[in-house]
């Protein structure tokens, strides 16, 4: 099956810093999503991005499908950006998602 | 739009009791719902996929008699942990996939289960 690898596993930054999170996947996919899980456990959809580039405020994402990776950029980090960022890709059927292990981001004030 | 609720958010129970968790899509019809389990500091583990009106499809290693899933309507799915034991303690998360929002699943806030 498809393997999803995220890096780095942990990231600690000062407020205001920029960061780049990476997601590598082992096979072609027709669905790639980024999620943020806040410290209370709620998963929030960030981007549906099987290819191309999207931006939403301070966050942007780029997926290069031919090279099987996606990047999530966070600019001018705020403490509320803390949490775990997951990359998930579309599996074989039934809209299932295959999840990466996540990147834990801590933003210090 | 695309709001999914889960109830209860917290439950503490004694070993041997059954616990029911409800997952509702509040503003869209969910043709497919997913149930996940998440251990501390780990990623989400898919337990089962349920489609409205049909039996759930369980992932390998998930006991269907232990984790009963019912998807009786397009807005409600329930997960019942039967005869819960301490090893069933975990964070359970549901998600819904609807005909309107075809690109992505939307997640409930999760239910923390502690079995004593």
């Amino acid at each position: 099956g498809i393997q999803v690898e995220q890096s780095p596993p942990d990231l600690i930054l000062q407020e205001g810093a920029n960061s780049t999170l990476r997601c590598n996947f082992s096979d072609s996919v027709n669905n790639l999503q980024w999620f943020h899980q806040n410290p209370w456990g709620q998963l929030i959809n960030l981007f549906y991005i099987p290819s191309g580039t999207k931006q939403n405020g301070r966050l942007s994402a780029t997926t290069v499908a031919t090279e099987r990776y996606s990047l999530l950029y966070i600019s001018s980090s705020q403490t509320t950006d803390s949490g775990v960022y997951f990359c998930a890709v579309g599996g074989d059927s039934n809209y299932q998602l295959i999840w990466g292990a996540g990147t834990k981001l801590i933003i210090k004030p | 739009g695309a709001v999914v609720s889960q109830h209860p958010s917290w439950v503490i129970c004694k070993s041997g009791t059954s616990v029911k968790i409800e997952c509702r899509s509040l503003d869209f019809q969910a043709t497919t719902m997913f149930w996940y389990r998440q251990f501390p500091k780990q990623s989400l583990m898919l337990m089962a996929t349920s489609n409205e009106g049909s039996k759930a499809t369980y992932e390998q290693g998930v006991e269907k008699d232990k984790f009963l899933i019912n998807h009786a309507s397009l807005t409600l799915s329930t997960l019942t942990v039967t005869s819960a034991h301490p090893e069933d303690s975990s964070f359970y998360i549901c998600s819904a996939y609807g005909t309107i929002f075809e690109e992505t699943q939307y997640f409930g806030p999760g239910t923390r289960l502690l079995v004593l």
Side-chain angles (χ1 to χ4, degrees), chain B residues 28-102:
Chain B
F28 66 101
Q29 294 185 326
T31 53
T32 302
M33 285 185 168
F34 301 88
W35 287 95
Y36 295 89
R37 185 172 181 177
Q38 187 179 32
F39 293 103
K41 300 183 179 181
Q42 293 189 23
S43 188
L44 279 71
M45 181 186 76
L46 179 65
M47 299 174 65
T49 302
S50 73
N51 294 295
E52 185 265 339
S54 61
K55 291 184 178 180
T57 302
Y58 291 81
E59 294 300 300
Q60 190 172 6
V62 178
E63 300 175 59
K64 56 184 68 176
D65 294 332
K66 158 69 79 175
F67 300 101
L68 299 179
I69 292 172
N70 184 283
H71 192 163
S73 76
L74 285 171
T75 59
L76 174 64
S77 177
T78 59
L79 167 67
T80 301
V81 183
T82 61
S83 187
H85 289 94
E87 58 266 28
D88 299 322
S89 299
S90 192
F91 188 49
Y92 293 89
I93 309 171
C94 74
S95 71
Y97 194 106
T99 54
I100 296 177
F101 308 100
E102 292 185 345

Side-chain angles (χ1 to χ4, degrees), chain A residues 16-17 22 44 46 57-60 64 67 73-75 77-78 86 89 95 97 99 102:
Chain A
R22 187 177 180 103
I44 301 164
L46 296 178
R58 295 182 297 103
L59 275 61
S60 64
V64 183
E67 297 187 22
Y73 305 97
I74 305 174
S75 64
S77 299
Q78 300 176 359
F86 288 104
V89 302
Y95 319 115
L97 294 173
W99 295 76

Side-chain angles (χ1 to χ4, degrees), chain A residues 33 37 42 45 48 94-95 100, chain B residues 34 38 43 97 104-105 109:
Chain A
Q33 298 175 50
Q37 187 171 37
Q42 174 73 63
N45 300 63
Y48 168 80
N94 294 331
Y95 319 115
Chain B
F34 301 88
Q38 187 179 32
S43 188
Y97 194 106
T104 187
Q105 302 173 27

